[in-house]
Amino acid sequence: MRISLCLHTSLAYGGGGEKWAWSVAKYLKERGYEVIVRALPYTPHGRRVVDPAKVLGDIPYYEAWIHTVDADVAYIFYNPFAYTFFKCTKNCTRIAGMHSNVYFLPRTPPITYGIPAVIARLLYKVIGLADLSLYDAVHVVNKAIRVRHPRVFYIPLFIDTNTYRPLEKKQDKFTVLFVGRPSWQKGWDIFVQVAKILKKRGVDIEFLCVGCTTHGPFIRGLGYIDSNRELAKVYSSAHVTLYPSRSDTFGLVMAESLACCTPVITTPIETHMSLELPLIYASTVEEFAEKVLEVKELYEKRPEDYQRLADMGRRAVVERYDAKKVLQMFESMIVSLAVKP
């Protein structure tokens, strides 16, 4: 069977969606399918931090503005009119993968979210239902995402819990970690404000960021880490991960952190709460700061309760989002859709 994964951003961007794509591609290749990855030569803000050849190995990869997709199944990262960039041949099954939550936000986000994303949202509000009807099926990664289509598959994101596990002891100084793009969507401004507040209070805390450079005197940046094992070490050595995201389809960072036995403080948005994970919730900068102090006190004064919380998080991720289980579900979906009725 020939399977084409079609991305609306370059694999070089190295975000969560791109990481998902190369992981799925390698799994399907190992399972004996003929896999090709196609992408548009676009990256938000021009960011290119990953070498596609390095992460894909011998899987063919093509970047162009217009692709002719000759495959049994084309899995297309959904954007309005995405099929105009990925022109499928006859009898090719088209699956729309909903990997952006911008379409389901309660209101239009600010321009800082990204002009292409804002335009895509506005288009979806106008033509989304008709646009999705041109696909044979729709894949959503979160139960909270609801689309109107006769064939909707819910298959969550996944992580390799053999890689994402406790690999390092906790650092001597209490450490708060941020992983992701330094963007409005991911709540980077909230993380920065929490660091400033607690530092000004004189609290002895280390603030680390993966995916960014050092930010002033408060936050030490580790840059982009493309090794899953090295990233797992960073998660493991931190005491808590701060993930103040305003918009998500899933929130892979949370699952990765919990699998490494590091608790997570995040926002109580529907896509987070639907994951059924033991997350700690906060809504404002002040609440995030207070929750950090609560976890710090738990770690220092009741270490057995902290460890119980950490173990609970890992168990929940292993049960619900381990790669072996989820990838089998994804493969079953592809196979079931390969031949049109």
PDB file of all heavy atoms in Angstrom, residues 176 186-187 190-191 193-195 197-198 207 240-246 264-268 272 280-295:
ATOM      1  N   VAL A 176      11.809  24.839  37.159  1.00  0.00           N
ATOM      2  CA  VAL A 176      10.557  24.962  36.416  1.00  0.00           C
ATOM      3  C   VAL A 176      10.902  24.984  34.927  1.00  0.00           C
ATOM      4  O   VAL A 176      11.734  25.776  34.491  1.00  0.00           O
ATOM      5  CB  VAL A 176       9.792  26.242  36.794  1.00  0.00           C
ATOM      6  CG1 VAL A 176       8.492  26.342  35.999  1.00  0.00           C
ATOM      7  CG2 VAL A 176       9.507  26.265  38.287  1.00  0.00           C
ATOM      8  N   LYS A 186       1.452  29.308  22.919  1.00  0.00           N
ATOM      9  CA  LYS A 186       1.968  28.409  23.949  1.00  0.00           C
ATOM     10  C   LYS A 186       2.076  29.070  25.327  1.00  0.00           C
ATOM     11  O   LYS A 186       2.514  28.440  26.283  1.00  0.00           O
ATOM     12  CB  LYS A 186       3.333  27.861  23.524  1.00  0.00           C
ATOM     13  CG  LYS A 186       3.284  27.033  22.246  1.00  0.00           C
ATOM     14  CD  LYS A 186       2.358  25.838  22.360  1.00  0.00           C
ATOM     15  CE  LYS A 186       2.338  24.999  21.095  1.00  0.00           C
ATOM     16  NZ  LYS A 186       1.350  23.893  21.198  1.00  0.00           N
ATOM     17  N   GLY A 187       1.690  30.340  25.410  1.00  0.00           N
ATOM     18  CA  GLY A 187       1.716  31.004  26.711  1.00  0.00           C
ATOM     19  C   GLY A 187       3.094  31.412  27.181  1.00  0.00           C
ATOM     20  O   GLY A 187       3.341  31.542  28.381  1.00  0.00           O
ATOM     21  N   ILE A 190       3.230  34.264  29.600  1.00  0.00           N
ATOM     22  CA  ILE A 190       2.835  33.907  30.964  1.00  0.00           C
ATOM     23  C   ILE A 190       4.026  33.292  31.705  1.00  0.00           C
ATOM     24  O   ILE A 190       4.287  33.624  32.876  1.00  0.00           O
ATOM     25  CB  ILE A 190       1.644  32.929  30.944  1.00  0.00           C
ATOM     26  CG1 ILE A 190       0.420  33.610  30.331  1.00  0.00           C
ATOM     27  CG2 ILE A 190       1.331  32.417  32.352  1.00  0.00           C
ATOM     28  CD1 ILE A 190      -0.770  32.683  30.129  1.00  0.00           C
ATOM     29  N   PHE A 191       4.746  32.419  31.041  1.00  0.00           N
ATOM     30  CA  PHE A 191       5.926  31.792  31.650  1.00  0.00           C
ATOM     31  C   PHE A 191       6.941  32.860  32.061  1.00  0.00           C
ATOM     32  O   PHE A 191       7.494  32.810  33.170  1.00  0.00           O
ATOM     33  CB  PHE A 191       6.553  30.806  30.663  1.00  0.00           C
ATOM     34  CG  PHE A 191       7.788  30.111  31.185  1.00  0.00           C
ATOM     35  CD1 PHE A 191       7.700  29.124  32.152  1.00  0.00           C
ATOM     36  CD2 PHE A 191       9.044  30.452  30.698  1.00  0.00           C
ATOM     37  CE1 PHE A 191       8.829  28.477  32.629  1.00  0.00           C
ATOM     38  CE2 PHE A 191      10.183  29.811  31.160  1.00  0.00           C
ATOM     39  CZ  PHE A 191      10.077  28.827  32.135  1.00  0.00           C
ATOM     40  N   GLN A 193       6.389  36.028  32.731  1.00  0.00           N
ATOM     41  CA  GLN A 193       5.881  36.813  33.854  1.00  0.00           C
ATOM     42  C   GLN A 193       5.961  36.047  35.168  1.00  0.00           C
ATOM     43  O   GLN A 193       6.284  36.626  36.216  1.00  0.00           O
ATOM     44  CB  GLN A 193       4.434  37.224  33.571  1.00  0.00           C
ATOM     45  CG  GLN A 193       4.288  38.239  32.446  1.00  0.00           C
ATOM     46  CD  GLN A 193       2.829  38.559  32.173  1.00  0.00           C
ATOM     47  OE1 GLN A 193       2.126  39.109  33.030  1.00  0.00           O
ATOM     48  NE2 GLN A 193       2.348  38.195  30.991  1.00  0.00           N
ATOM     49  N   VAL A 194       5.681  34.744  35.132  1.00  0.00           N
ATOM     50  CA  VAL A 194       5.786  33.925  36.347  1.00  0.00           C
ATOM     51  C   VAL A 194       7.232  33.918  36.838  1.00  0.00           C
ATOM     52  O   VAL A 194       7.495  34.060  38.042  1.00  0.00           O
ATOM     53  CB  VAL A 194       5.297  32.489  36.078  1.00  0.00           C
ATOM     54  CG1 VAL A 194       5.643  31.578  37.253  1.00  0.00           C
ATOM     55  CG2 VAL A 194       3.796  32.468  35.827  1.00  0.00           C
ATOM     56  N   ALA A 195       8.177  33.763  35.917  1.00  0.00           N
ATOM     57  CA  ALA A 195       9.594  33.766  36.298  1.00  0.00           C
ATOM     58  C   ALA A 195       9.971  35.098  36.949  1.00  0.00           C
ATOM     59  O   ALA A 195      10.662  35.121  37.985  1.00  0.00           O
ATOM     60  CB  ALA A 195      10.460  33.507  35.063  1.00  0.00           C
ATOM     61  N   ILE A 197       8.003  37.307  38.467  1.00  0.00           N
ATOM     62  CA  ILE A 197       7.326  37.475  39.761  1.00  0.00           C
ATOM     63  C   ILE A 197       8.055  36.716  40.858  1.00  0.00           C
ATOM     64  O   ILE A 197       8.343  37.251  41.938  1.00  0.00           O
ATOM     65  CB  ILE A 197       5.861  37.005  39.657  1.00  0.00           C
ATOM     66  CG1 ILE A 197       5.032  38.004  38.859  1.00  0.00           C
ATOM     67  CG2 ILE A 197       5.256  36.820  41.048  1.00  0.00           C
ATOM     68  CD1 ILE A 197       3.615  37.528  38.584  1.00  0.00           C
ATOM     69  N   LEU A 198       8.358  35.448  40.600  1.00  0.00           N
ATOM     70  CA  LEU A 198       8.970  34.610  41.637  1.00  0.00           C
ATOM     71  C   LEU A 198      10.419  35.000  41.898  1.00  0.00           C
ATOM     72  O   LEU A 198      10.897  34.925  43.038  1.00  0.00           O
ATOM     73  CB  LEU A 198       8.854  33.134  41.249  1.00  0.00           C
ATOM     74  CG  LEU A 198       7.409  32.603  41.211  1.00  0.00           C
ATOM     75  CD1 LEU A 198       7.382  31.136  40.830  1.00  0.00           C
ATOM     76  CD2 LEU A 198       6.714  32.805  42.560  1.00  0.00           C
ATOM     77  N   PHE A 207      14.638  28.600  36.208  1.00  0.00           N
ATOM     78  CA  PHE A 207      13.677  28.548  35.107  1.00  0.00           C
ATOM     79  C   PHE A 207      14.415  28.175  33.829  1.00  0.00           C
ATOM     80  O   PHE A 207      15.345  28.871  33.419  1.00  0.00           O
ATOM     81  CB  PHE A 207      12.975  29.898  34.937  1.00  0.00           C
ATOM     82  CG  PHE A 207      11.966  30.189  36.012  1.00  0.00           C
ATOM     83  CD1 PHE A 207      12.350  30.814  37.194  1.00  0.00           C
ATOM     84  CD2 PHE A 207      10.638  29.814  35.865  1.00  0.00           C
ATOM     85  CE1 PHE A 207      11.426  31.071  38.194  1.00  0.00           C
ATOM     86  CE2 PHE A 207       9.700  30.062  36.854  1.00  0.00           C
ATOM     87  CZ  PHE A 207      10.094  30.690  38.027  1.00  0.00           C
ATOM     88  N   VAL A 240       8.921  20.548  37.840  1.00  0.00           N
ATOM     89  CA  VAL A 240       7.575  20.795  37.330  1.00  0.00           C
ATOM     90  C   VAL A 240       7.698  21.442  35.957  1.00  0.00           C
ATOM     91  O   VAL A 240       8.622  22.214  35.699  1.00  0.00           O
ATOM     92  CB  VAL A 240       6.758  21.695  38.290  1.00  0.00           C
ATOM     93  CG1 VAL A 240       7.348  23.095  38.370  1.00  0.00           C
ATOM     94  CG2 VAL A 240       5.289  21.747  37.878  1.00  0.00           C
ATOM     95  N   THR A 241       6.760  21.101  35.068  1.00  0.00           N
ATOM     96  CA  THR A 241       6.694  21.727  33.744  1.00  0.00           C
ATOM     97  C   THR A 241       5.541  22.714  33.725  1.00  0.00           C
ATOM     98  O   THR A 241       4.422  22.370  34.120  1.00  0.00           O
ATOM     99  CB  THR A 241       6.491  20.668  32.646  1.00  0.00           C
ATOM    100  OG1 THR A 241       7.655  19.827  32.585  1.00  0.00           O
ATOM    101  CG2 THR A 241       6.300  21.326  31.288  1.00  0.00           C
ATOM    102  N   LEU A 242       5.844  23.927  33.288  1.00  0.00           N
ATOM    103  CA  LEU A 242       4.815  24.957  33.152  1.00  0.00           C
ATOM    104  C   LEU A 242       4.402  25.002  31.687  1.00  0.00           C
ATOM    105  O   LEU A 242       5.226  25.245  30.805  1.00  0.00           O
ATOM    106  CB  LEU A 242       5.394  26.305  33.587  1.00  0.00           C
ATOM    107  CG  LEU A 242       4.396  27.325  34.159  1.00  0.00           C
ATOM    108  CD1 LEU A 242       3.762  26.788  35.432  1.00  0.00           C
ATOM    109  CD2 LEU A 242       5.097  28.643  34.446  1.00  0.00           C
ATOM    110  N   TYR A 243       3.120  24.755  31.435  1.00  0.00           N
ATOM    111  CA  TYR A 243       2.620  24.702  30.064  1.00  0.00           C
ATOM    112  C   TYR A 243       1.355  25.548  29.969  1.00  0.00           C
ATOM    113  O   TYR A 243       0.232  25.027  29.917  1.00  0.00           O
ATOM    114  CB  TYR A 243       2.344  23.251  29.673  1.00  0.00           C
ATOM    115  CG  TYR A 243       2.015  23.061  28.207  1.00  0.00           C
ATOM    116  CD1 TYR A 243       2.992  23.228  27.227  1.00  0.00           C
ATOM    117  CD2 TYR A 243       0.732  22.712  27.806  1.00  0.00           C
ATOM    118  CE1 TYR A 243       2.684  23.059  25.885  1.00  0.00           C
ATOM    119  CE2 TYR A 243       0.426  22.536  26.464  1.00  0.00           C
ATOM    120  CZ  TYR A 243       1.403  22.709  25.513  1.00  0.00           C
ATOM    121  OH  TYR A 243       1.102  22.546  24.173  1.00  0.00           O
ATOM    122  N   PRO A 244       1.502  26.888  29.927  1.00  0.00           N
ATOM    123  CA  PRO A 244       0.344  27.787  29.960  1.00  0.00           C
ATOM    124  C   PRO A 244      -0.271  28.041  28.588  1.00  0.00           C
ATOM    125  O   PRO A 244      -0.599  29.171  28.221  1.00  0.00           O
ATOM    126  CB  PRO A 244       0.933  29.067  30.554  1.00  0.00           C
ATOM    127  CG  PRO A 244       2.357  29.053  30.117  1.00  0.00           C
ATOM    128  CD  PRO A 244       2.778  27.605  30.009  1.00  0.00           C
ATOM    129  N   SER A 245      -0.428  26.987  27.810  1.00  0.00           N
ATOM    130  CA  SER A 245      -0.912  27.104  26.432  1.00  0.00           C
ATOM    131  C   SER A 245      -2.342  27.628  26.381  1.00  0.00           C
ATOM    132  O   SER A 245      -3.203  27.220  27.156  1.00  0.00           O
ATOM    133  CB  SER A 245      -0.830  25.740  25.749  1.00  0.00           C
ATOM    134  OG  SER A 245      -1.345  25.809  24.449  1.00  0.00           O
ATOM    135  N   ARG A 246      -2.598  28.534  25.424  1.00  0.00           N
ATOM    136  CA  ARG A 246      -3.924  29.097  25.235  1.00  0.00           C
ATOM    137  C   ARG A 246      -4.738  28.306  24.217  1.00  0.00           C
ATOM    138  O   ARG A 246      -5.961  28.446  24.152  1.00  0.00           O
ATOM    139  CB  ARG A 246      -3.808  30.547  24.763  1.00  0.00           C
ATOM    140  CG  ARG A 246      -3.209  31.499  25.790  1.00  0.00           C
ATOM    141  CD  ARG A 246      -3.137  32.909  25.227  1.00  0.00           C
ATOM    142  NE  ARG A 246      -2.808  33.888  26.248  1.00  0.00           N
ATOM    143  CZ  ARG A 246      -1.585  34.342  26.480  1.00  0.00           C
ATOM    144  NH1 ARG A 246      -0.567  33.894  25.779  1.00  0.00           N
ATOM    145  NH2 ARG A 246      -1.380  35.241  27.427  1.00  0.00           N
ATOM    146  N   VAL A 264       2.787  18.595  35.793  1.00  0.00           N
ATOM    147  CA  VAL A 264       2.532  19.662  34.826  1.00  0.00           C
ATOM    148  C   VAL A 264       1.469  20.613  35.354  1.00  0.00           C
ATOM    149  O   VAL A 264       0.421  20.185  35.833  1.00  0.00           O
ATOM    150  CB  VAL A 264       2.059  19.077  33.474  1.00  0.00           C
ATOM    151  CG1 VAL A 264       1.696  20.204  32.509  1.00  0.00           C
ATOM    152  CG2 VAL A 264       3.129  18.183  32.874  1.00  0.00           C
ATOM    153  N   ILE A 265       1.766  21.921  35.233  1.00  0.00           N
ATOM    154  CA  ILE A 265       0.781  22.963  35.520  1.00  0.00           C
ATOM    155  C   ILE A 265       0.370  23.558  34.186  1.00  0.00           C
ATOM    156  O   ILE A 265       1.211  24.009  33.403  1.00  0.00           O
ATOM    157  CB  ILE A 265       1.360  24.065  36.421  1.00  0.00           C
ATOM    158  CG1 ILE A 265       1.959  23.468  37.695  1.00  0.00           C
ATOM    159  CG2 ILE A 265       0.275  25.086  36.777  1.00  0.00           C
ATOM    160  CD1 ILE A 265       2.712  24.476  38.553  1.00  0.00           C
ATOM    161  N   THR A 266      -0.922  23.562  33.908  1.00  0.00           N
ATOM    162  CA  THR A 266      -1.383  24.011  32.594  1.00  0.00           C
ATOM    163  C   THR A 266      -2.729  24.731  32.709  1.00  0.00           C
ATOM    164  O   THR A 266      -3.266  24.900  33.810  1.00  0.00           O
ATOM    165  CB  THR A 266      -1.483  22.831  31.622  1.00  0.00           C
ATOM    166  OG1 THR A 266      -1.706  23.312  30.295  1.00  0.00           O
ATOM    167  CG2 THR A 266      -2.622  21.890  32.009  1.00  0.00           C
ATOM    168  N   THR A 267      -3.263  25.127  31.573  1.00  0.00           N
ATOM    169  CA  THR A 267      -4.528  25.852  31.523  1.00  0.00           C
ATOM    170  C   THR A 267      -5.715  24.889  31.458  1.00  0.00           C
ATOM    171  O   THR A 267      -5.625  23.835  30.834  1.00  0.00           O
ATOM    172  CB  THR A 267      -4.554  26.764  30.284  1.00  0.00           C
ATOM    173  OG1 THR A 267      -4.107  26.008  29.146  1.00  0.00           O
ATOM    174  CG2 THR A 267      -3.639  27.959  30.465  1.00  0.00           C
ATOM    175  N   PRO A 268      -6.851  25.256  32.064  1.00  0.00           N
ATOM    176  CA  PRO A 268      -8.016  24.370  32.065  1.00  0.00           C
ATOM    177  C   PRO A 268      -8.880  24.518  30.811  1.00  0.00           C
ATOM    178  O   PRO A 268     -10.108  24.660  30.897  1.00  0.00           O
ATOM    179  CB  PRO A 268      -8.782  24.818  33.315  1.00  0.00           C
ATOM    180  CG  PRO A 268      -8.492  26.279  33.410  1.00  0.00           C
ATOM    181  CD  PRO A 268      -7.066  26.443  32.928  1.00  0.00           C
ATOM    182  N   HIS A 272      -7.368  20.191  27.063  1.00  0.00           N
ATOM    183  CA  HIS A 272      -6.492  19.665  28.103  1.00  0.00           C
ATOM    184  C   HIS A 272      -7.279  18.790  29.078  1.00  0.00           C
ATOM    185  O   HIS A 272      -6.852  17.685  29.436  1.00  0.00           O
ATOM    186  CB  HIS A 272      -5.825  20.806  28.876  1.00  0.00           C
ATOM    187  CG  HIS A 272      -4.809  21.567  28.083  1.00  0.00           C
ATOM    188  ND1 HIS A 272      -4.199  22.709  28.536  1.00  0.00           N
ATOM    189  CD2 HIS A 272      -4.280  21.330  26.854  1.00  0.00           C
ATOM    190  CE1 HIS A 272      -3.345  23.156  27.625  1.00  0.00           C
ATOM    191  NE2 HIS A 272      -3.382  22.336  26.602  1.00  0.00           N
ATOM    192  N   ILE A 280      -2.315  19.799  36.853  1.00  0.00           N
ATOM    193  CA  ILE A 280      -2.590  20.871  37.803  1.00  0.00           C
ATOM    194  C   ILE A 280      -2.986  22.094  36.976  1.00  0.00           C
ATOM    195  O   ILE A 280      -2.274  22.471  36.042  1.00  0.00           O
ATOM    196  CB  ILE A 280      -1.352  21.184  38.659  1.00  0.00           C
ATOM    197  CG1 ILE A 280      -0.888  19.923  39.414  1.00  0.00           C
ATOM    198  CG2 ILE A 280      -1.640  22.322  39.637  1.00  0.00           C
ATOM    199  CD1 ILE A 280       0.492  20.051  40.019  1.00  0.00           C
ATOM    200  N   TYR A 281      -4.119  22.721  37.313  1.00  0.00           N
ATOM    201  CA  TYR A 281      -4.652  23.785  36.469  1.00  0.00           C
ATOM    202  C   TYR A 281      -4.485  25.168  37.092  1.00  0.00           C
ATOM    203  O   TYR A 281      -4.592  25.347  38.310  1.00  0.00           O
ATOM    204  CB  TYR A 281      -6.133  23.535  36.179  1.00  0.00           C
ATOM    205  CG  TYR A 281      -6.386  22.302  35.348  1.00  0.00           C
ATOM    206  CD1 TYR A 281      -7.008  21.181  35.895  1.00  0.00           C
ATOM    207  CD2 TYR A 281      -5.989  22.256  34.021  1.00  0.00           C
ATOM    208  CE1 TYR A 281      -7.244  20.041  35.128  1.00  0.00           C
ATOM    209  CE2 TYR A 281      -6.221  21.122  33.248  1.00  0.00           C
ATOM    210  CZ  TYR A 281      -6.845  20.021  33.807  1.00  0.00           C
ATOM    211  OH  TYR A 281      -7.064  18.900  33.042  1.00  0.00           O
ATOM    212  N   ALA A 282      -4.241  26.144  36.198  1.00  0.00           N
ATOM    213  CA  ALA A 282      -4.171  27.553  36.594  1.00  0.00           C
ATOM    214  C   ALA A 282      -4.629  28.388  35.408  1.00  0.00           C
ATOM    215  O   ALA A 282      -4.472  27.980  34.255  1.00  0.00           O
ATOM    216  CB  ALA A 282      -2.754  27.936  37.008  1.00  0.00           C
ATOM    217  N   SER A 283      -5.193  29.570  35.691  1.00  0.00           N
ATOM    218  CA  SER A 283      -5.750  30.394  34.617  1.00  0.00           C
ATOM    219  C   SER A 283      -5.077  31.752  34.469  1.00  0.00           C
ATOM    220  O   SER A 283      -5.122  32.352  33.398  1.00  0.00           O
ATOM    221  CB  SER A 283      -7.253  30.607  34.846  1.00  0.00           C
ATOM    222  OG  SER A 283      -7.944  29.373  34.821  1.00  0.00           O
ATOM    223  N   THR A 284      -4.464  32.257  35.510  1.00  0.00           N
ATOM    224  CA  THR A 284      -3.834  33.574  35.466  1.00  0.00           C
ATOM    225  C   THR A 284      -2.364  33.459  35.840  1.00  0.00           C
ATOM    226  O   THR A 284      -1.914  32.430  36.379  1.00  0.00           O
ATOM    227  CB  THR A 284      -4.513  34.543  36.442  1.00  0.00           C
ATOM    228  OG1 THR A 284      -4.283  34.090  37.791  1.00  0.00           O
ATOM    229  CG2 THR A 284      -6.019  34.620  36.185  1.00  0.00           C
ATOM    230  N   VAL A 285      -1.629  34.538  35.587  1.00  0.00           N
ATOM    231  CA  VAL A 285      -0.212  34.561  35.946  1.00  0.00           C
ATOM    232  C   VAL A 285      -0.048  34.320  37.444  1.00  0.00           C
ATOM    233  O   VAL A 285       0.816  33.533  37.875  1.00  0.00           O
ATOM    234  CB  VAL A 285       0.426  35.908  35.540  1.00  0.00           C
ATOM    235  CG1 VAL A 285       1.844  36.015  36.095  1.00  0.00           C
ATOM    236  CG2 VAL A 285       0.448  36.059  34.026  1.00  0.00           C
ATOM    237  N   GLU A 286      -0.873  34.980  38.240  1.00  0.00           N
ATOM    238  CA  GLU A 286      -0.779  34.829  39.694  1.00  0.00           C
ATOM    239  C   GLU A 286      -1.069  33.390  40.120  1.00  0.00           C
ATOM    240  O   GLU A 286      -0.397  32.845  41.008  1.00  0.00           O
ATOM    241  CB  GLU A 286      -1.760  35.793  40.386  1.00  0.00           C
ATOM    242  CG  GLU A 286      -1.424  37.263  40.240  1.00  0.00           C
ATOM    243  CD  GLU A 286      -1.696  37.813  38.844  1.00  0.00           C
ATOM    244  OE1 GLU A 286      -2.482  37.170  38.088  1.00  0.00           O
ATOM    245  OE2 GLU A 286      -1.118  38.850  38.493  1.00  0.00           O
ATOM    246  N   GLU A 287      -2.071  32.767  39.488  1.00  0.00           N
ATOM    247  CA  GLU A 287      -2.386  31.378  39.827  1.00  0.00           C
ATOM    248  C   GLU A 287      -1.248  30.444  39.455  1.00  0.00           C
ATOM    249  O   GLU A 287      -0.924  29.513  40.206  1.00  0.00           O
ATOM    250  CB  GLU A 287      -3.674  30.944  39.114  1.00  0.00           C
ATOM    251  CG  GLU A 287      -4.936  31.536  39.707  1.00  0.00           C
ATOM    252  CD  GLU A 287      -6.185  31.061  38.982  1.00  0.00           C
ATOM    253  OE1 GLU A 287      -6.074  30.165  38.112  1.00  0.00           O
ATOM    254  OE2 GLU A 287      -7.276  31.583  39.269  1.00  0.00           O
ATOM    255  N   PHE A 288      -0.637  30.658  38.290  1.00  0.00           N
ATOM    256  CA  PHE A 288       0.499  29.828  37.901  1.00  0.00           C
ATOM    257  C   PHE A 288       1.635  29.961  38.904  1.00  0.00           C
ATOM    258  O   PHE A 288       2.264  28.959  39.287  1.00  0.00           O
ATOM    259  CB  PHE A 288       0.983  30.208  36.494  1.00  0.00           C
ATOM    260  CG  PHE A 288       0.268  29.485  35.387  1.00  0.00           C
ATOM    261  CD1 PHE A 288      -0.710  30.121  34.642  1.00  0.00           C
ATOM    262  CD2 PHE A 288       0.567  28.160  35.096  1.00  0.00           C
ATOM    263  CE1 PHE A 288      -1.378  29.457  33.619  1.00  0.00           C
ATOM    264  CE2 PHE A 288      -0.101  27.483  34.083  1.00  0.00           C
ATOM    265  CZ  PHE A 288      -1.077  28.136  33.343  1.00  0.00           C
ATOM    266  N   ALA A 289       1.913  31.181  39.333  1.00  0.00           N
ATOM    267  CA  ALA A 289       2.991  31.401  40.307  1.00  0.00           C
ATOM    268  C   ALA A 289       2.693  30.673  41.615  1.00  0.00           C
ATOM    269  O   ALA A 289       3.586  30.031  42.208  1.00  0.00           O
ATOM    270  CB  ALA A 289       3.169  32.897  40.547  1.00  0.00           C
ATOM    271  N   GLU A 290       1.438  30.753  42.075  1.00  0.00           N
ATOM    272  CA  GLU A 290       1.072  30.090  43.329  1.00  0.00           C
ATOM    273  C   GLU A 290       1.151  28.574  43.203  1.00  0.00           C
ATOM    274  O   GLU A 290       1.581  27.881  44.140  1.00  0.00           O
ATOM    275  CB  GLU A 290      -0.332  30.523  43.760  1.00  0.00           C
ATOM    276  CG  GLU A 290      -0.423  31.960  44.223  1.00  0.00           C
ATOM    277  CD  GLU A 290       0.553  32.279  45.350  1.00  0.00           C
ATOM    278  OE1 GLU A 290       0.650  31.453  46.288  1.00  0.00           O
ATOM    279  OE2 GLU A 290       1.209  33.335  45.296  1.00  0.00           O
ATOM    280  N   LYS A 291       0.744  28.037  42.067  1.00  0.00           N
ATOM    281  CA  LYS A 291       0.809  26.584  41.870  1.00  0.00           C
ATOM    282  C   LYS A 291       2.257  26.103  41.844  1.00  0.00           C
ATOM    283  O   LYS A 291       2.570  25.017  42.342  1.00  0.00           O
ATOM    284  CB  LYS A 291       0.101  26.192  40.572  1.00  0.00           C
ATOM    285  CG  LYS A 291      -1.412  26.395  40.583  1.00  0.00           C
ATOM    286  CD  LYS A 291      -2.096  25.545  41.646  1.00  0.00           C
ATOM    287  CE  LYS A 291      -3.602  25.742  41.624  1.00  0.00           C
ATOM    288  NZ  LYS A 291      -4.281  24.932  42.674  1.00  0.00           N
ATOM    289  N   VAL A 292       3.158  26.901  41.257  1.00  0.00           N
ATOM    290  CA  VAL A 292       4.583  26.544  41.277  1.00  0.00           C
ATOM    291  C   VAL A 292       5.070  26.449  42.718  1.00  0.00           C
ATOM    292  O   VAL A 292       5.766  25.488  43.090  1.00  0.00           O
ATOM    293  CB  VAL A 292       5.415  27.577  40.489  1.00  0.00           C
ATOM    294  CG1 VAL A 292       6.916  27.377  40.770  1.00  0.00           C
ATOM    295  CG2 VAL A 292       5.148  27.455  38.994  1.00  0.00           C
ATOM    296  N   LEU A 293       4.693  27.416  43.538  1.00  0.00           N
ATOM    297  CA  LEU A 293       5.113  27.410  44.947  1.00  0.00           C
ATOM    298  C   LEU A 293       4.511  26.215  45.696  1.00  0.00           C
ATOM    299  O   LEU A 293       5.168  25.629  46.562  1.00  0.00           O
ATOM    300  CB  LEU A 293       4.703  28.717  45.617  1.00  0.00           C
ATOM    301  CG  LEU A 293       5.413  29.978  45.101  1.00  0.00           C
ATOM    302  CD1 LEU A 293       4.871  31.217  45.800  1.00  0.00           C
ATOM    303  CD2 LEU A 293       6.925  29.863  45.297  1.00  0.00           C
ATOM    304  N   GLU A 294       3.280  25.847  45.351  1.00  0.00           N
ATOM    305  CA  GLU A 294       2.653  24.692  45.998  1.00  0.00           C
ATOM    306  C   GLU A 294       3.390  23.401  45.654  1.00  0.00           C
ATOM    307  O   GLU A 294       3.611  22.544  46.521  1.00  0.00           O
ATOM    308  CB  GLU A 294       1.190  24.583  45.572  1.00  0.00           C
ATOM    309  CG  GLU A 294       0.302  25.659  46.158  1.00  0.00           C
ATOM    310  CD  GLU A 294      -1.134  25.570  45.649  1.00  0.00           C
ATOM    311  OE1 GLU A 294      -1.489  24.512  45.061  1.00  0.00           O
ATOM    312  OE2 GLU A 294      -1.901  26.537  45.826  1.00  0.00           O
ATOM    313  N   VAL A 295       3.782  23.240  44.386  1.00  0.00           N
ATOM    314  CA  VAL A 295       4.523  22.034  43.989  1.00  0.00           C
ATOM    315  C   VAL A 295       5.900  22.036  44.647  1.00  0.00           C
ATOM    316  O   VAL A 295       6.390  20.983  45.080  1.00  0.00           O
ATOM    317  CB  VAL A 295       4.647  21.949  42.455  1.00  0.00           C
ATOM    318  CG1 VAL A 295       5.523  20.753  42.057  1.00  0.00           C
ATOM    319  CG2 VAL A 295       3.276  21.815  41.810  1.00  0.00           C
TER     320      VAL A 295
END
